[in-house]
Amino acid sequence: VLYVFFFQAEDGIRDFCLSRGLGDVYKRQYQRRVHGGITKKQKNYQKKKEMSFKLTIAEIGNLDRQLEKIMEGQILSEAEVKNLCDKAKEILVEESNVTLVRSPVTVCGDIHGQFWDLLELFRIGGKPPDTNYLFLGDYVDRGFHSVETFSLIIALKVRYRDRVTILRGNHESRELNKAYGFYDECLRKYSNENVWKYFTDLFFYLPLTALIDGQIFCLHGGLSPSIDTLDNVRQLNRIQDVPHEGPMCDLLWSDPDENKPGWGLSPRGAGYTFGPDITCLLYTSDAADDLLCVDLGGRRIIKKKK
C-alpha cells in the first residue's frame, strides 16, 4: 500500500524513471525516504557492524591515556602506533566505500598537519563524543605535525567509532606524502620509516565517500566519468594506493568548474574538471533528487536539492 501511495504521489518521477529502465533504483530511492534516508538492509548492516567490534575496559582506559598524551602534543611510541593502526583497520575494513553518516555532524575539510588548529576546532565545535565529526581527508603533509594530527584522529575513530567518520584524501597516498613532508616527518620523529609504513598501510582502508542521512554525498575530490551511481562507488576496490587514473583517482582529485560545462582535463594532472551539467547527469542516472556542488575549504560536497 505504501508503494502504491508513493507512486501515486510522485507518478511523474516514477514515469521518468521507468521510461529509462530505472525502476529498481526508483524503489531504492523510495526506501531511503521512507526509512529516513537509510534502507532496512543498511540499518541491519549498521547493527551487525556495531556488534562486531567491542573495546574492553582496559582498551578504553588505554585509549583515553593515549588521547590525553596526544592532545598535550606528545607523540605515541612506535608500538602504540602499530597497535592503534591495527585496531583502526578492524573498524575501517567493515565500512563501505559509501559510509553512512547521521546528522547532526560537523564536516571538516583538509587539516594538513595543522595539529593546533585541529585542537582549536575541537575547542570551538566540541570534542567527540559530544560532537559528531566527518573528516574529508588530507590529514598529512605541508604542516609540521602530521604525525600528531593523524594519531589523534585515528585514536578518536577507534575510541568513538560511531561519532567520528574519516575519509581518504589524495594526500593519503605513499607517492604524494613521500614528496610533501609526511615521510620526512616520520623519519625525523621516529628515526626509522616503520611508523610511516603503519600509517600508509592504514590509508588503504579509509572509505572514499560518505552519505549523510541518505541526502548529502561527501567526498574529498569530485565526480568521475566512470561513475554513474553510488553503487558504482561501492563496488570499487579501495585497498590499494591511489591510482594515477580511473574512478578512484577521480573521486580524490576531480574539481567542479562552474564556468565550464562537461568534463575537462584537470590542470592538476589527475582527475577531471566537471560542470553543473555533469551533476545533472548523476541525478538522472541515480534517480536521486537534483544535485548541487558546494565548496567546503577547497573540498566538495554534492547535496541533493529537495
Side-chain angles (χ1 to χ4, degrees):
V1 175
L2 286 174
Y3 271 106
V4 173
F5 173 80
F6 181 73
F7 287 162
Q8 290 176 341
E10 299 193 9
D11 53 2
I13 300 176
R14 179 203 61 188
D15 293 343
F16 173 84
C17 294
L18 294 179
S19 67
R20 287 160 175 77
L22 298 172
D24 291 340
V25 179
Y26 177 66
K27 288 183 180 180
R28 290 201 302 271
Q29 184 64 16
Y30 159 76
Q31 288 180 318
R32 292 189 186 107
R33 298 184 189 189
V34 169
H35 298 291
I38 299 178
T39 65
K40 288 183 178 178
K41 182 178 179 181
Q42 291 167 336
K43 281 186 175 181
N44 292 335
Y45 170 78
Q46 281 186 329
K47 290 179 181 179
K48 182 179 178 182
K49 183 179 72 172
E50 290 168 2
M51 296 175 61
S52 63
F53 182 88
K54 295 288 186 180
L55 292 170
T56 66
I57 295 176
E59 288 173 331
I60 291 174
N62 191 42
L63 277 168
D64 288 340
R65 286 190 293 271
Q66 291 177 353
L67 283 168
E68 183 178 350
K69 181 178 179 180
I70 299 169
M71 287 185 176
E72 291 175 352
Q74 303 177 48
I75 62 173
L76 300 178
S77 69
E78 184 177 319
E80 287 175 319
V81 171
K82 183 179 186 304
N83 182 65
L84 196 59
C85 289
D86 289 342
K87 288 290 184 183
K89 284 180 185 178
E90 292 180 39
I91 296 172
L92 295 172
V93 74
E94 297 178 352
E95 295 189 358
S96 167
N97 288 336
V98 185
T99 189
L100 304 176
V101 178
R102 293 197 179 214
S103 63
V105 61
T106 299
V107 184
C108 306
D110 301 12
I111 301 174
H112 278 308
Q114 301 291 341
F115 176 70
W116 302 109
D117 289 344
L118 177 60
L119 294 187
E120 180 69 5
L121 173 68
F122 289 149
R123 187 188 70 81
I124 295 173
K127 297 178 183 177
D130 299 325
T131 302
N132 299 329
Y133 283 93
L134 166 59
F135 294 96
L136 301 185
D138 275 14
Y139 312 104
V140 302
D141 289 337
R142 298 199 174 116
F144 296 108
H145 302 284
S146 294
V147 169
E148 294 89 336
T149 297
F150 196 52
S151 296
L152 177 55
I153 289 176
I154 298 172
L156 288 170
K157 175 62 179 177
V158 175
R159 179 65 177 87
Y160 308 110
R161 60 170 299 173
D162 297 320
R163 299 288 188 174
V164 178
T165 303
I166 53 178
L167 304 185
R168 191 173 185 178
N170 58 335
H171 278 261
E172 278 69 66
S173 159
R174 287 174 176 168
E175 182 178 353
L176 212 58
N177 63 54
K178 205 165 189 177
Y180 282 87
F182 184 46
Y183 177 79
D184 292 333
E185 181 184 331
C186 290
L187 286 182
R188 187 171 64 253
K189 293 179 177 177
Y190 289 94
S191 301
N192 62 59
E193 62 178 19
N194 291 342
V195 166
W196 177 78
K197 288 181 179 179
Y198 300 149
F199 282 138
T200 52
D201 285 347
L202 180 59
F203 290 162
F204 289 5
Y205 293 83
L206 295 174
L208 302 177
T209 69
L211 193 62
I212 303 175
D213 293 339
Q215 295 182 337
I216 306 174
F217 183 49
C218 304
L219 67 167
H220 179 78
L223 304 181
S224 170
S226 303
I227 291 175
D228 295 322
T229 69
L230 297 185
D231 282 341
N232 294 152
V233 180
R234 293 184 181 101
Q235 292 165 4
L236 294 175
N237 174 25
R238 72 173 188 260
I239 312 297
Q240 59 176 309
D241 210 345
V242 180
H244 291 249
E245 59 184 12
M248 179 173 166
C249 170
D250 300 339
L251 291 173
L252 303 183
W253 279 95
S254 293
D255 295 288
D257 189 339
E258 297 180 2
N259 301 316
K260 186 178 178 181
W263 296 102
L265 294 177
S266 173
R268 301 205 286 169
Y272 294 86
T273 61
F274 58 95
D277 56 322
I278 298 300
T279 59
C280 292
L281 288 176
L282 184 64
Y283 153 61
T284 57
S285 60
D286 205 27
D289 292 328
D290 211 0
L291 295 172
L292 171 68
C293 257
V294 179
D295 186 276
L296 176 64
R299 299 302 98 202
R300 318 303 168 207
I301 291 184
I302 312 299
K303 180 178 180 181
K304 296 196 295 189
K305 288 181 180 177
K306 292 196 174 182

